[in-house]
Amino acid sequence: MELFSKKEEFISVVISSKDLPNLGSISELYRYLDDRFSDYEIIVVKNSPLDFNRKDLDVLLNKVPSVRVIELSYEVDYEVAITVGLENSIGDIVFVFNPSQEDVEILGPMSDMCTGDIDVVIGIASNQKKSIGYHIFRPFIGWALKEISYSIPRNATTLRCLSRNAVNAATQARNYHHQIFVKIAQCGLGSQTFSYELKDALSSRKNLYRAFKTTLKLLVFNSTKPLRWMSALGVSGSFLSLIFALYSFLVRLINHNVADGWSSLVIIISILFMLLFTMLSFFGEYLARLLNEQSKHTPYWVINELHSSVMVDSERCNVVEKT
């Protein structure tokens, strides 16, 4: 006798191999899905050739149904791996799931929320750990991300529950591979938050260095606003230089016994060079972005796709005739 009435929606669960503590967690996930959903698939994106060997994968695929393993030819970024899974998913509801940090029990309640006008459910970690530096600079980081229309709730994680509409909207956007979570936030669909607890909050502790690195990447790859900010900074530096030149000229007219302004000259030159090199660093980032977009190099190559060799229900038909 079934304890749960199985839901009819087709569920896809996308997992990066980097998030798998061990292959045994796939079996646990399968049991949970099999108890609650009629149709489902587990997509594991092996985004590094060194993540799990073929022998262990074959054992898993011979025991656990509805598992698809997508092997990539070389290691890619986490968001690229998630994008591969989303592109290859066929579910009505698609999860971005991290078994090492998230419990399988949260999938059912999240799928209930992803109905009607809600196409995106965002995971919120209630026990998220943060450094003091992150707390201090978080308002500035939030403001910078809002400038590129990337508005996510505080303590948001990578956990997502997406409708098919949301998956299509995010993956059809041009040049999305390195910022899939930004594209999900920018698709303009209805969203809601889901609060849960991380299994190991200390291992995913947010710090200032990691936040700054991520924010810089998001800004550069998703908007030209930082380029305009640097242009404004350059104009400000030029204006300050002009004021200093006028000041020096007026002082020389008024006072003929002006001492050598070595200190002032060194200070102003240092400031201007700081501004100059800041702008050059941003120009370099955008040049790299342009070269990346012009490259014919594909964002990823799938070298193999493995499937479970056992069926969920061999007697079940995939076409139902109603009279």
Side-chain angles (χ1 to χ4, degrees):
M1 180 178 179
E2 291 185 355
L3 297 177
F4 302 92
S5 177
K6 291 189 177 183
K7 299 178 182 179
E8 295 298 325
E9 295 90 352
F10 196 111
I11 303 297
S12 297
V13 181
V14 176
I15 303 172
S16 167
S17 59
K18 292 294 184 182
D19 291 337
L20 276 177
N22 53 68
L23 293 177
S25 57
I26 298 295
S27 299
E28 180 186 0
L29 176 60
Y30 156 70
R31 289 191 292 269
Y32 179 85
L33 294 175
D34 190 57
D35 287 340
R36 289 162 176 79
F37 301 98
S38 299
D39 299 291
Y40 51 87
E41 63 174 351
I42 302 171
I43 302 176
V44 179
V45 181
K46 189 180 176 185
N47 59 319
S48 174
L50 300 179
D51 291 344
F52 308 108
N53 58 53
R54 176 60 66 85
K55 183 178 179 181
D56 293 337
L57 289 175
D58 289 340
V59 171
L60 172 71
L61 296 173
N62 287 328
K63 290 183 178 180
V64 183
S66 301
V67 177
R68 296 166 58 195
V69 179
I70 301 176
E71 292 184 310
L72 303 182
S73 59
Y74 55 89
E75 187 171 359
V76 298
D77 291 341
Y78 176 77
E79 292 197 25
V80 177
I82 295 302
T83 303
V84 175
L86 294 179
E87 283 183 332
N88 289 274
S89 66
I90 59 175
D92 303 312
I93 297 176
V94 184
F95 287 92
V96 178
F97 185 66
N98 181 355
S100 65
Q101 288 288 1
E102 296 147 9
D103 193 271
V104 295
E105 298 294 333
I106 66 179
L107 300 181
M110 288 189 75
S111 66
D112 293 336
M113 297 170 63
C114 194
T115 55
D117 296 331
I118 304 299
D119 291 286
V120 180
V121 181
I122 304 171
I124 302 295
S126 58
N127 60 337
Q128 183 72 260
K129 303 296 183 182
K130 305 171 187 176
S131 67
I132 297 177
Y134 181 88
H135 274 291
I136 295 174
F137 286 94
R138 178 60 177 82
F140 171 76
I141 294 173
W143 170 81
L145 293 179
K146 284 182 180 179
E147 288 295 308
I148 62 170
S149 301
Y150 185 30
S151 180
I152 57 173
R154 283 180 176 271
N155 302 325
T157 64
T158 57
L159 176 64
R160 296 291 188 276
C161 178
L162 309 171
S163 69
R164 174 49 50 184
N165 192 25
V167 173
N168 292 340
T171 57
Q172 288 177 3
R174 180 176 176 266
N175 298 327
Y176 58 84
H177 291 93
H178 289 279
Q179 54 273 350
I180 187 63
F181 293 108
V182 177
K183 296 305 178 186
I184 292 173
Q186 292 176 340
C187 65
L189 299 173
S191 63
Q192 196 169 346
T193 60
F194 177 84
S195 181
Y196 71 103
E197 289 191 359
L198 297 171
K199 291 181 179 179
D200 184 7
L202 289 177
S203 64
S204 61
R205 181 173 178 265
K206 292 185 177 181
N207 57 54
L208 181 59
Y209 170 73
R210 217 179 276 171
F212 179 78
K213 182 179 178 181
T214 302
T215 302
L216 182 61
K217 178 182 176 182
L218 292 174
L219 288 174
V220 170
F221 277 91
N222 291 278
S223 175
T224 57
K225 284 190 176 182
L227 185 61
R228 294 181 177 178
W229 294 342
M230 292 302 102
S231 299
L233 188 61
V235 172
S236 300
S238 301
F239 183 68
L240 290 174
S241 179
L242 176 62
I243 292 177
F244 182 77
L246 292 175
Y247 167 77
S248 301
F249 179 72
L250 292 175
V251 169
R252 185 69 181 85
L253 291 178
I254 296 172
N255 186 1
H256 296 283
N257 298 319
V258 178
D260 294 337
W262 183 83
S263 298
S264 300
L265 187 61
V266 169
I267 291 173
I268 193 64
I269 289 177
S270 299
I271 293 175
L272 292 177
F273 267 101
M274 181 188 69
L275 296 175
L276 175 63
F277 283 113
T278 302
M279 290 184 291
L280 286 176
S281 64
F282 271 81
F283 292 152
E285 291 287 343
Y286 277 97
L287 180 60
R289 173 185 173 183
L290 291 174
L291 291 174
N292 183 57
E293 290 183 355
Q294 295 298 323
S295 174
K296 302 299 182 181
H297 180 67
T298 55
Y300 62 87
W301 285 310
V302 176
I303 60 173
N304 200 8
E305 183 172 346
L306 309 175
H307 300 266
S308 295
S309 58
V310 288
M311 297 290 292
V312 177
D313 185 1
S314 59
E315 301 297 326
R316 184 176 180 185
C317 300
N318 62 350
V319 177
V320 179
E321 182 179 353
K322 293 184 179 180
T323 57

